[in-house]
Amino acid sequence: MTVLDDRIEMADESKGLTLDVLFEHLERMPVPEGYKVEIVEGAIFMSPQRDTHWEIIADLFEQLRTKYPRKRVKSDVRVDYPGQLNGFASDVTLVAEGATKADNGYWRCQDVQFVAEVISRGTAPNDYGPKKTAYALADVPVYLIADPYQGKCHLFTQPKDGEYISELSVTFGADVDMTNTPLGLTLRTDEFPRD
């Protein structure tokens, strides 16, 4: 068992609660259609999907699909991350070639090569804070935040000890050069809408 496996196991156990138990309870709740549900550090967050949010997600998905097969590009699919009860349904996730689901039926964070989050006002502190830390702890090589309120993308690379060493900010309209990352592509942002 690796250190990361230990962290994930610890993340699933807190006062008898596990991510599976919490998600089972959520599945029985009447969550409104069009809402995304995540558990960040044991707290449950529900946020509505907005047009701006969806357009950026769709654009990211389409651009990744020019290089990667559909089976590797995910959206709103649960992945458990290190930390205290972290079960995220990231806006866009790219899993490694040949990745397989764990015994629990979910993708393993060790196989995640890229994550993108599109900021929502109510959950922005999670994307810039505990989720960014969890992605770095999981050694996700490339983390992108698209912030329609700022009109900027923030690219985080080179995870080390729970932090990203490198950060690049790009205004919507300019390209995000990720050719020197494991993604090996340039992301266009000229059609990203602002809020």
Side-chain angles (χ1 to χ4, degrees), residues 51-136:
D51 280 344
T52 299
H53 194 93
W54 171 243
E55 286 180 33
I56 294 173
I57 292 169
D59 198 339
L60 288 165
F61 187 88
E62 289 170 358
Q63 289 187 61
L64 286 173
R65 285 284 294 119
T66 64
K67 183 170 181 174
Y68 299 102
R70 185 176 61 233
K71 66 182 181 177
R72 290 186 55 198
V73 185
K74 312 294 176 191
S75 181
D76 290 340
V77 173
R78 176 182 160 190
V79 177
D80 298 344
Y81 285 92
Q84 190 66 26
L85 295 173
N86 285 322
F88 306 156
S90 306
D91 292 322
V92 180
T93 300
L94 176 70
V95 296
E97 173 104 27
T100 58
K101 293 181 181 179
D103 292 340
N104 63 5
Y106 302 111
W107 295 101
R108 299 170 347 114
C109 67
Q110 297 93 325
D111 293 326
V112 174
Q113 293 186 319
F114 169 78
V115 171
E117 296 286 5
V118 180
I119 296 298
S120 295
R121 260 193 228 284
T123 59
N126 291 336
D127 297 327
Y128 284 110
K131 289 175 82 173
K132 180 177 150 194
T133 299
Y135 295 142

Side-chain angles (χ1 to χ4, degrees), residues 136-153:
L137 283 169
D139 289 326
V140 173
V142 183
Y143 174 40
L144 179 79
I145 294 177
D147 191 329
Y149 303 102
Q150 295 178 359
K152 290 185 178 181
C153 283

